[in-house]
Structures are given as C-alpha cells and as structure tokens.
Amino acid sequence: MDKPDILIPRPLMRSILKVLDRDYTTHKLWEMADPEAYLDSVAQMIKGIASSPSAKVDANLVDRLPNLQIVANFGVGYDGIDARHCADRGIMVTNTPDVLTEEVADTALGLLIMAVRELSASERYLRAGKWQSDGPYPLTHGTLRGRKLGIFGLGRIGKAIARRAEAFGLEIHYHGRRKQDGVAYPYHRNLKELAAACDTLMVVAPGGADTRHAVDADVLKALGPNGVVINIGRGSVIDEQALITALKNGVILAAGLDVFEEEPRAPAELIALDNAVLLPHVGSASIHTREAMGSLMLDNLATWFKEGHAVTPVAETSG
C-alpha cells in the first residue's frame, strides 16, 4: 500500500519526524533550496499537512494542493491555518487540545507571580552583586493578596488557570464570546468592562482578526495603576506599543508575556523594562508535553487515513 504524501512546512521535533518518515512519504519544505518550485512539483501528490504554529497554511497554499485532505496542527492554537477555507474545501483541520492545558496553566501562574513580586528583577539584582553592595532588594509594591483576576478566554486553559488562581485566593472574573452555562464566575460583556472590574488581566484568547489588539490603550487604562497583564495566548491580542507606553508611564504596574506580535522578535523597548517579565514562548515547552502534543497530531493523521475521521477536529471542520 502506498504511503500518503505529507507536506511538512516547518521543522518539528525529531521524534515526530521519525514517525512521519516511517509512516508517510514526507516532503520537508524548509529543506528545499527553492521551496516554491519544489511545492509546484509535488502539489498533486500531497494528501496531508503536518503543520505547526510557525507555519502559515493560508488559502493560497491550500488551493495549490488539489488533493489535500487534512491539515494536522502541532499545537492548540491554529490561527496560522485558514480553517474556514479548509472547511469550504472539505478539508479536515485538527489541533492538539487538552494535552498542553496543565503545562500552559502552570506557566501562566508562574508568570503572574514573577510579574507581581518582581522575581526576575530581584534575581538580576542578586546576580549583579547588589544585595551585597546596596543591601536588600526594595519591598515590592505588587502582591497577589486581594487581587481580582480577569480571564480573557475561559476555555480549557483559562479554566485550568482559574482553578490555580482560586487556590491562591484570587477572585475570578471572565470575558469571552458568550456567557458560559455552569460557570459561576462573574461574566463581563466586553474587555474594557472586565478590566475595570479587575486589577489583573490574564490573556488566554486565540489570535486572528477577531482578537487583534483587543487589549489596547483603553483596556490598559481601565485596569489601573496597580494593573498586571499576563499573556500566554497570542501576541497579536495585545497592542504591544500601547503596552510599552502603559508600562513606561505607570498606567499599569507590570506585565508578563510568553508571546509576542512578531516572534521570535521581542521589542527592545520591552526588553529594557524592569516591570516586564518576558519568556520565549515556552508555555508548553517541556519534553513531556511536546511529546504528548506530537502523539496526538500523529493520531489525527493515522485515524484520518485509516478510518476517515479525526480524533480532535477544530470547530470549523468538526461538523
């Protein structure tokens, strides 16, 4: 039996590539001297795409592959994939939910504590020898005590963050596309209203046109001078320049970011700020979790080609 041809636009973990090479005829686009010419030469053969958040699977790419059946994404976020266009073409799109939920939620709480208590800045203080030369690190203005946490995007990860935050004594509010049944947390109809009711904003929302720069200067101002913003969703959700201005001018207290608008570039102005804690998109970056994500992506491909259905289809193609 012929192995289905799979296009791999960007590098994946070696353990995943090993299985893909074993079970499929793979086409690693990033290895080609002329990717466009190579894609033209194999377009008719491609039955599936093993994608990742760094890859762009837009309508143009999809339309170049007339026999494409499935796009299996390595990651829960799939804003780089035009899922609606795939649905119109009858192409399945899958992602890897659940398996990274707990790891990302842990990272979110870690970022929150680091930002509020200035842990990164105090570590730099120690490493620079200032504890010995200048005395104890100054008392921090920020604390978790009495904080109200507004979660923008109360999905699987948002709920896992909420459970952890409740254990720290935080009061939880949320905003999303709709009020959720069976959720006791106060719901706010828009993001500015959520920010005004809270002093801590946790961004867990997906990227895309609907959420681009949703956290803007007005939302940050509503959060207030004791405000803290944490983003483990997508960098595009926050207006980075507005955030930089707010941090510089004391409009808010601090920020913790695991994602940026133009990854892997983090703005130099953000890097220079002591009240910004910055991570290089490591929310789910443990071997344990990434292996689980890869396994689920492989399961989606295998069940599709063997049984004609997927394990975790995205909403646009689940019907």
Side-chain angles (χ1 to χ4, degrees), residues 244-287:
I244 290 167
T245 300
L247 288 167
K248 282 183 174 179
N249 296 337
V251 175
I252 62 172
L253 180 67
L257 309 174
D258 186 43
V259 289
F260 303 89
E261 284 201 62
E262 297 180 9
E263 296 181 4
R265 187 189 73 84
E269 289 177 285
L270 269 178
I271 293 172
L273 293 173
D274 273 342
N275 57 343
V277 178
L278 311 176
L279 300 179
H281 204 151
V282 295
S284 64
S286 71
I287 293 173

Side-chain angles (χ1 to χ4, degrees), residues 89-125:
R89 282 270 315 270
I91 297 165
M92 173 58 66
V93 179
T94 67
N95 64 344
T96 60
D98 296 322
V99 292
L100 51 70
T101 296
E102 303 303 325
E103 205 79 80
V104 175
D106 290 347
T107 303
L109 262 293
L111 262 177
L112 175 58
I113 296 168
M114 290 171 71
V116 170
R117 293 299 319 282
E118 302 177 19
L119 298 186
S120 293
S122 61
E123 185 194 23
R124 290 194 295 272
Y125 186 90

Side-chain angles (χ1 to χ4, degrees), residues 13 18 41 49 59 111 146 150 156 207 210 218 221 279 309:
M13 291 175 65
K18 185 177 179 180
S41 70
I49 297 177
L111 262 177
R156 296 178 181 90
D210 292 343
D218 288 340
K221 184 178 180 180
L279 300 179
H309 66 87

Side-chain angles (χ1 to χ4, degrees), residues 39-52:
L39 189 58
D40 285 338
S41 70
V42 300
Q44 295 286 336
M45 298 184 288
I46 300 300
K47 300 289 181 61
I49 297 177
S51 189
S52 62

Side-chain angles (χ1 to χ4, degrees), residues 7-24:
L7 180 70
I8 311 174
R10 301 285 297 165
L12 294 167
M13 291 175 65
R14 280 181 291 179
S15 58
I16 300 169
L17 289 174
K18 185 177 179 180
V19 177
L20 288 170
D21 286 337
R22 183 194 68 196
D23 295 343
Y24 305 95

Side-chain angles (χ1 to χ4, degrees), residues 151-172:
I151 299 178
F152 176 26
L154 196 70
R156 296 178 181 90
I157 295 173
K159 288 183 173 70
I161 292 169
R163 291 194 299 270
R164 287 160 171 76
E166 283 186 298
F168 280 88
L170 276 66
E171 181 181 319
I172 311 298

Side-chain angles (χ1 to χ4, degrees), residues 52-133:
S52 62
S54 63
K56 185 178 181 182
V57 184
D58 58 12
N60 178 60
L61 176 58
V62 170
D63 288 343
R64 290 175 70 178
L65 308 174
N67 296 306
L68 182 65
Q69 299 178 21
I70 181 171
V71 181
N73 189 52
F74 179 82
V76 64
Y78 55 96
D79 43 295
I81 301 170
D82 192 334
R84 290 190 179 93
H85 186 69
C86 287
D88 291 342
R89 282 270 315 270
I91 297 165
M92 173 58 66
V93 179
T94 67
N95 64 344
T96 60
D98 296 322
V99 292
L100 51 70
T101 296
E102 303 303 325
E103 205 79 80
V104 175
D106 290 347
T107 303
L109 262 293
L111 262 177
L112 175 58
I113 296 168
M114 290 171 71
V116 170
R117 293 299 319 282
E118 302 177 19
L119 298 186
S120 293
S122 61
E123 185 194 23
R124 290 194 295 272
Y125 186 90
L126 180 150
R127 289 181 181 275
K130 292 184 178 181
W131 190 12
Q132 290 180 309
S133 62

